[in-house]
């Protein structure tokens, strides 16, 4: 009996220790099989959860997201693509294709639906040659576009995602690329299309039917509410990859999973990520009034002591797990080392409280450029007046021309008034003259 009682006491103590930890987190985090993954808020780019999101991986056919994006950005849907021998025969018939032939003429719309829905590698080659003249030049454009949208760990070396040691990306980068892509309404339309019928053409007398290979769009077993679109991929080296965007109640989330070992693992992991994001986060907004009004002591370019006071120009918002409230979030200013000048960059960062593990720790930041330095008295006066200081040669030049403009407009206005007065005066003089002449005519003897 004593042993049982002792065991109960130990178990109670353990529960007492564990319960606060559970309360601090409060949510069950996803348990993924895929080697790397990320869950991103599409509006802000905020990472809500990640697993090895910056690890370089082979993307396989999720590459086609940026291929199609560049097609819709640089071509029209009715443009004709004439398939070259290189575009057709450089693709192995063991890979995904729609059996395009040399000299076959298809439209851009046919090519992008084939690329997105059935992962046609030959159609991607056709797109690349139409946009850039060659696959090599198009791959360089793909990499350039990726870096432009914040995908800095990516290098593309072909248009379709077939294995190439110089062709790699990360889960984070693919989320950033997709975030940009779904802002394009044309891309978004085809990204979520479930079925497309390609008509006959100069080489093919039969229709081609494309059914989307993303099972969360078409398969009742995996279908997910609110799917915006997605793209699946597979090669032996990449294993299974999947990009999915879903929207609920005005929120759009992007889930990316890479190197899923089995066919269905990518769908299980994606569902876990999306469920986690939609069920466990609340939006928090910080307005300029919410920023702590603190005068920050700094040294200016001359090394003199002065004060820096900053505030946001517009609100910032981000998502936090439901167990965290707005009052739990702290703020800090990140200042550059040494002296501060008008060209310095200062960052206001928002931080989660210690012990929160239900989300990616970075919330958001607000960057200040061309900061204004003021003495304590000037800063207080500016804050009281609710205005921001403006300094520099071009400001005073602008003010000079502004004053000159006001004077010129005033003079012009006076000239107009003077002219109107002279016109009125002349009209009155002529009127009086006519009256006198009329009076003289009446007095003449008849």
């Amino acid at each position: 009996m004593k042993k049982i009682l002792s065991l109960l006491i130990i178990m109670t103590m353990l529960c007492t220790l564990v319960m606060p930890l559970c309360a601090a987190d409060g949510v069950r985090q996803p348990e993924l099989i895929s080697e790397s993954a990320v869950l991103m808020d599409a509006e802000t780019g905020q990472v809500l959860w990640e697993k090895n999101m910056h690890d370089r991986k082979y993307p396989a056919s999720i590459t086609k997201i940026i291929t199609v994006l560049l097609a819709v950005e640089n071509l029209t849907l009715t443009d004709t693509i004439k398939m070259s021998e290189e575009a057709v025969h450089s693709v192995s018939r063991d890979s995904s294709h729609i059996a395009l032939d040399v000299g076959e003429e298809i439209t851009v719309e046919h090519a992008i639906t084939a690329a997105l829905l059935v992962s046609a590698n030959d159609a991607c080659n056709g797109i690349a040659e139409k946009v850039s003249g060659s696959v090599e030049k198009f791959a360089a454009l793909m990499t350039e576009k990726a870096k432009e949208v914040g995908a800095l760990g990516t290098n593309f070396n072909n248009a379709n995602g077939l294995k190439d040691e110089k062709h790699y990306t990360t889960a984070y980068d693919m989320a950033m690329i997709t975030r940009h892509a779904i802002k394009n309404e044309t891309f978004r339309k085809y990204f979520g299309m479930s079925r497309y019928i390609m008509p006959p053409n100069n080489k093919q007398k039969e229709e081609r039917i494309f059914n989307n290979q993303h099972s969360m769009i078409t398969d009742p077993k995996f279908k997910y509410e609110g799917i915006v679109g997605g793209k699946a991929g597979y090669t032996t080296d990449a294993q299974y990859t999947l990009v999915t965007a879903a929207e609920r109640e005005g929120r759009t989330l992007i889930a990316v999973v890479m190197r899923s070992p089995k066919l269905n693992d990518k769908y299980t992991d994606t569902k876990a990520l999306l469920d986690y994001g939609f069920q466990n986060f609340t939006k928090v907004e910080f307005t300029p009034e919410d920023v702590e009004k603190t005068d920050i002591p700094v040294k200016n370019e001359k090394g003199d002591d002065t004060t820096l006071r900053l505030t946001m120009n517009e609100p910032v918002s981000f998502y936090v797990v439901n167990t965290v409230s707005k009052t739990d979030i702290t703020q800090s200013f990140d200042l550059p080392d040494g002296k501060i000048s008008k060209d310095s960059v200062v960052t206001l960062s928002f931080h989660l409280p210690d012990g929160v593990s239900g989300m990616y720790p970075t919330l958001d930041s607000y960057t200040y450029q061309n900061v204004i330095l003021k003495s304590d008295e000037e800063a207080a006066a500016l804050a009281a007046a609710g205005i921001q200081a403006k300094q520099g040669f071009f400001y005073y030049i602008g003010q000079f021309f502004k004053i000159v403009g006001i004077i010129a407009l005033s003079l012009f206005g006076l000239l107009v008034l003077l002219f109107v007065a002279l016109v009125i005066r002349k009209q009155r003089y002529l009127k009086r003259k006519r009256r006198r002449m009329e009076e003289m005519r009446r007095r003449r003897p008849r």
Side-chain angles (χ1 to χ4, degrees), residues 105-392:
E105 296 179 355
I106 61 174
T107 67
V108 170
E109 182 179 52
H110 301 156
I112 64 175
T113 51
L116 286 176
L117 274 64
V118 293
S119 214
N121 296 320
D122 46 3
C124 291
N125 283 351
I127 290 172
E129 291 185 350
K130 181 69 176 178
V131 173
S132 300
S134 71
V135 172
E136 291 76 17
K137 290 181 180 178
F138 186 74
L141 180 64
M142 293 165 69
T143 302
E144 181 183 335
K145 182 69 176 182
K147 295 190 186 311
E148 179 186 314
V149 301
L152 305 180
T154 291
N155 187 77
F156 292 119
N157 214 36
N158 59 58
N160 45 46
L162 292 175
K163 184 193 174 183
D164 186 314
E165 290 184 357
K166 296 180 180 179
H167 189 94
Y168 53 80
T169 187
T170 68
Y172 175 83
D173 284 6
M174 284 309 306
M176 291 295 285
I177 290 168
T178 305
R179 180 188 174 216
H180 178 79
I182 60 177
K183 294 176 183 177
N184 185 298
E185 289 301 321
T186 303
F187 176 90
R188 193 179 178 107
K189 171 185 173 182
Y190 293 99
F191 194 47
M193 187 173 284
S194 59
R195 193 168 188 264
Y196 183 84
I197 299 176
M198 178 177 164
N201 56 36
N202 65 319
K203 292 282 187 176
Q204 174 62 258
K205 304 308 177 186
E206 301 291 332
E207 293 178 339
R208 293 177 171 102
I209 300 175
F210 306 150
N211 292 307
N212 200 315
Q213 296 175 344
H214 193 310
S215 294
M216 296 178 82
I217 297 174
T218 57
D219 189 341
K221 180 181 176 183
F222 297 102
K223 206 158 188 179
Y224 193 85
E225 179 189 350
I227 291 289
V228 171
K231 184 74 191 78
Y234 173 80
T235 65
T236 304
D237 296 283
Q239 297 191 355
Y240 293 96
T241 61
L242 189 69
V243 174
T244 310
E247 181 179 8
R248 290 185 183 177
E249 298 179 355
R251 286 182 63 200
T252 301
L253 300 181
I254 298 168
V256 180
V257 296
M258 302 186 75
R259 284 194 67 82
S260 301
K262 296 179 181 178
L263 175 64
N264 291 343
D265 291 341
K266 62 181 183 288
Y267 297 119
T268 303
D269 284 356
T270 296
K271 182 180 184 302
L273 284 172
L274 292 174
D275 284 347
Y276 176 73
F278 284 125
Q279 295 171 8
N280 296 293
F281 286 82
T282 302
K283 191 174 187 179
V284 172
E285 181 179 82
F286 277 78
T287 66
E289 290 72 27
D290 293 322
V291 177
E292 297 171 0
K293 304 298 188 296
T294 304
D295 290 332
I296 306 167
V298 296
K299 290 186 180 296
N300 61 21
E301 291 176 293
K302 298 178 181 179
D304 298 329
D305 292 331
T306 186
T307 299
L308 185 65
R309 172 171 284 192
L310 303 168
T311 186
M312 297 185 299
N313 293 326
E314 57 188 16
V316 295
S317 60
F318 37 83
Y319 288 91
V320 295
V321 288
N322 294 333
T323 53
V324 176
S325 66
K326 182 175 177 178
T327 54
D328 296 326
I329 297 168
T330 57
Q331 307 169 28
S332 69
F333 285 104
D334 301 315
L335 304 173
D337 294 333
K339 300 172 184 177
I340 306 292
S341 72
K342 65 181 181 61
D343 297 318
S344 298
V345 176
V346 179
T347 303
L348 167 62
S349 298
F350 299 89
H351 307 279
L352 286 167
D354 294 336
V356 176
S357 58
M359 62 178 293
Y360 187 65
T362 301
L363 289 178
D364 205 345
S365 61
Y366 186 92
T367 301
Y368 302 87
Q369 291 178 309
N370 301 320
V371 298
I372 303 300
L373 302 177
K374 285 292 168 184
S375 67
D376 292 338
E377 293 79 15
E378 289 172 314
L382 287 169
I387 60 175
Q388 182 181 16
K390 294 182 174 65
Q391 293 179 334

Side-chain angles (χ1 to χ4, degrees), residues 76-88:
T76 62
L77 295 176
T78 56
D79 284 347
T80 299
I81 297 173
K82 188 173 183 178
M83 297 300 296
S84 70
E85 185 170 352
E86 175 68 18
V88 171

Side-chain angles (χ1 to χ4, degrees), residues 57-72:
K57 306 289 182 186
Y58 294 129
S61 285
I62 59 176
T63 297
K64 295 177 173 77
I65 291 174
I66 194 167
T67 299
V68 171
L69 173 63
L70 288 172
V72 300

